[in-house]
Amino acid sequence: MRQYLSVWRLPGAPLLLVVGVIARLGIGMVSLSLLLLLQQAQGRYAQAALACSVYAVASAAASPIVGRLADRIGPAPVLVATGLTYPCCLVFLIFAGLREWPSAAVLGAAVLAGVTFPPMTAAVRGTWNALTADDPAVRVTALAAETALFELVFVVGPMLVALCVALWQPAVALAAAAVVTLVVARGRAMRSWRRAEGHAPARGLGPLRVRGFVPLLVTAFGVGFAFGGTGVAVPAYATEYVADDPQSVGGILLGVWGIGSAVAGVWFGSRARPGVRLRWLLAAVAASLAVLAAMPNALALGLALMLGGATIAPALTVQNAMVGQIVPRSMLNEAYTWLVTTSIGASAAGVAVTGLVVDRPGGAVWAFLLAGAAVAAGALVAPAPFTHTSDRETAAV
């Protein structure tokens, strides 16, 4: 545990680890809460789903712009500003939905809420890079801990929504998701941000011009596509091969997959190797997904998912660490927003494409192969580890 103790002792690290994860529970809460709230108010899922989609697209489109602003003036002011405006926009969206305003007004409110969503993930990961600038091994450990804890966002978030719906209303979940952002923004780690000396601010395409960053985004697209697709393929497999309560079995199988990833993330962080190659980790992820196509029953699939999940967190940890090595410090927040935006967009594409595939006979098998192929394609173009590009080199790209 010495590696993790060295992370815990960094200035502001406890708040960044614990409250930083709590603040991002909204990622796993808001979309589901919106869907339930608008469906209750309007009695239709179609309108509610459209508003959620508009919210997600607006958030993804605005993230790189907000990230560049955080690189210019610091993440703390941006988090404070969005942490104050985002709840107001959510309240407006809630009001529009409950009052059954016209569709255009509800969708406009969804756009405002999406645009003002706080760039918490990018700010947290950028801050970890700044805190560990002089020690690559500690950086890998910090990002491994962050990756493992981040798994909780997509497990605990929906559970909290269910609790809030049972005891109060979906609106309570929306309000709770917005509050803790301000706590992280005022924490010591965020407030200690200083502009990187000797690094020119981003212009034009910013980090997209940095050598090695676009290939890294390609790997993120492949992984995101595979994760979104597997989230559809596993329940489809359960429906096809499990006779009793296939929906519950599908949920359990996905949970087992996440457990394998979280445990491996903790182990990987304690044995950090800064020079490990992303290409080989992605190849392991691709193989772990492709082998799911050969599983004869749900029990075998669960075992394969748990073992295969152990490849995920290490790959994501190295992927996140490489952003800090490839991209100059003056562009880190924007770079991480591009990574998040690419992953979310790819996941949505994976869900849509896999939904078409699994509707065919034996579709779940082909869906697993497709997910493995997507990650393998990213592995082929993965950049070499820790090829830092200076500002002078960046300007010449």
Side-chain angles (χ1 to χ4, degrees), residues 16 65-84 117-131 181-196 329-334 336-337:
L16 206 59
I65 300 172
V66 178
R68 180 169 297 190
L69 183 62
D71 284 325
R72 295 290 181 95
I73 65 175
V78 172
L79 286 178
V80 169
T82 53
L84 291 173
F117 185 79
M120 181 62 69
T121 298
V124 167
R125 291 174 181 170
T127 302
W128 280 125
N129 274 273
L131 289 175
T181 299
L182 297 176
V183 178
V184 178
R186 300 308 302 162
R188 181 179 177 184
M190 291 290 180
R191 289 187 290 108
S192 65
W193 179 90
R194 296 292 183 274
R195 186 185 303 277
R329 283 183 57 193
S330 58
M331 304 181 187
L332 271 182
N333 282 280
E334 183 181 351
Y336 275 116
T337 57

Side-chain angles (χ1 to χ4, degrees), residues 97-203:
L98 293 178
R99 291 289 182 174
E100 299 186 39
W101 285 10
S103 297
V106 174
L107 295 180
V111 169
L112 289 177
V115 167
T116 57
F117 185 79
M120 181 62 69
T121 298
V124 167
R125 291 174 181 170
T127 302
W128 280 125
N129 274 273
L131 289 175
T132 59
D134 299 326
D135 196 335
V138 174
R139 172 183 295 161
V140 173
T141 301
L143 290 173
E146 205 273 340
T147 301
L149 288 172
F150 193 53
E151 296 278 354
L152 297 175
V153 168
F154 301 101
V155 177
V156 178
M159 292 172 62
L160 289 178
V161 171
L163 179 64
C164 290
V165 169
L167 298 181
W168 302 289
Q169 290 290 329
V172 176
L174 289 174
V179 171
V180 285
T181 299
L182 297 176
V183 178
V184 178
R186 300 308 302 162
R188 181 179 177 184
M190 291 290 180
R191 289 187 290 108
S192 65
W193 179 90
R194 296 292 183 274
R195 186 185 303 277
E197 296 294 335
H199 289 273
R203 298 186 303 274

Side-chain angles (χ1 to χ4, degrees), residues 221 225 228-229 232 346-360 363 367 370:
F221 186 92
F225 184 97
V232 175
S347 179
V351 169
V353 173
T354 305
L356 298 175
V357 173
V358 298
D359 277 340
R360 300 177 179 275
L370 178 63

Side-chain angles (χ1 to χ4, degrees), residues 13 21 86 98 109 128 147 159 198 218 280 305 307 356 358 369 372:
V21 171
Y86 178 63
L98 293 178
W128 280 125
T147 301
M159 292 172 62
V218 174
W280 299 119
L305 282 168
L307 295 176
L356 298 175
V358 298
L369 294 174

